Amino acid sequence: MAGRRRREQDEPLAVRVLREQERHTTQVGAYGFFPRRGPRRSATVTPAPLRYWQFNPARPWLVLTALLCVAAWLGLFAWQRGTAGLVDELPLAVLLGVAVLVLSTARTTVSDAGLSFDIAGLRRTSTLHVVARSLVREVRRGNPPDGWPRARSRGGWWPGRTRVAVRHLAADGDGERAFTVWVRDPEAFAEALGRPTAGDRH
């Protein structure tokens, strides 16, 4: 085991990143989009438990937009056809509104090897969208401090969530990257990535 770890530490970063990305997709894919249900029945090998995962609902502005669109749709039919038109269109309008919100639901997942953001389980996690754990340099509670790269937002605010900033190396070796995400448990999220949290607690 010690020899294996030494070989992994000595290998080029690009090789290690590719290996971790593949390990992440394999582990995450064995669980499907709802990890609480356990591994897929089709999994040939029982995967290790995921280090951290949470669902990220559609952003508040998207929820408001969907509600406004449904209301406008129903209002148009009510104006053109009266109550009968409103009743006829209500099921379809509500169904499409709910579908938009469901398909906008994402999942933040940390495995033994990486981190990814998956959308509604419609596709297999791509290695191109995986941040290898070996690339993570810092996890900070709150906003990114001065001197960090411009951070990409990964999901909006929801009650009970705390904003966390993550700084990591680029997979192609071209400098550093950063992103922010709202998590339910900052300490558990940082521990899953192998980096203790730092920064403002507000």
Side-chain angles (χ1 to χ4, degrees):
M1 180 64 70
R4 177 183 175 184
R5 291 180 179 176
R6 189 177 301 109
R7 287 194 302 272
E8 291 178 353
Q9 292 174 353
D10 293 339
E11 67 186 1
L13 179 61
V15 175
R16 188 191 315 167
V17 168
L18 288 175
R19 179 170 48 77
E20 290 184 347
Q21 289 174 333
E22 289 291 345
R23 286 176 53 200
H24 175 85
T25 58
T26 299
Q27 185 177 353
V28 171
Y31 278 95
F33 195 66
F34 300 97
R36 193 179 299 277
R37 298 170 59 181
R40 295 177 185 269
R41 293 182 178 180
S42 58
T44 55
V45 179
T46 302
L50 297 174
R51 289 176 174 262
Y52 181 92
W53 63 272
Q54 68 175 36
F55 290 113
N56 303 321
R59 298 188 182 192
W61 68 264
L62 183 57
V63 175
L64 179 60
T65 300
L67 291 176
L68 291 176
C69 289
V70 170
W73 183 353
L74 294 177
L76 176 62
F77 276 88
W79 175 64
Q80 291 182 338
R81 303 180 186 177
T83 304
L86 172 64
V87 173
D88 289 342
E89 288 298 315
L90 183 60
L92 179 59
V94 172
L95 179 62
L96 290 179
V98 171
V100 169
L101 298 181
V102 170
L103 295 178
S104 299
T105 299
R107 189 189 67 195
T108 301
T109 311
V110 182
S111 71
D112 291 341
L115 162 73
S116 64
F117 301 91
D118 308 301
I119 300 177
L122 296 180
R123 59 173 174 77
R124 183 177 182 269
T125 302
S126 170
T127 57
L128 298 176
H129 301 94
V130 175
V131 178
R133 288 183 71 231
S134 62
L135 297 179
V136 176
R137 290 296 175 262
E138 186 176 356
V139 179
R140 177 175 290 269
R141 186 193 290 256
N143 295 318
D146 294 337
W148 276 35
R150 184 175 181 179
R152 181 179 180 181
S153 177
R154 291 288 194 171
W157 174 86
W158 277 93
R161 299 286 176 93
T162 301
R163 193 177 196 182
V164 170
V166 177
R167 179 174 61 88
H168 63 92
L169 298 177
D172 58 5
D174 183 21
E176 293 187 338
R177 301 287 186 270
F179 64 84
T180 61
V181 61
W182 295 85
V183 299
R184 67 174 188 274
D185 190 335
E187 284 72 25
F189 177 72
E191 182 180 355
L193 289 174
R195 301 288 177 180
T197 55
D200 189 2
R201 289 184 175 271
H202 301 285

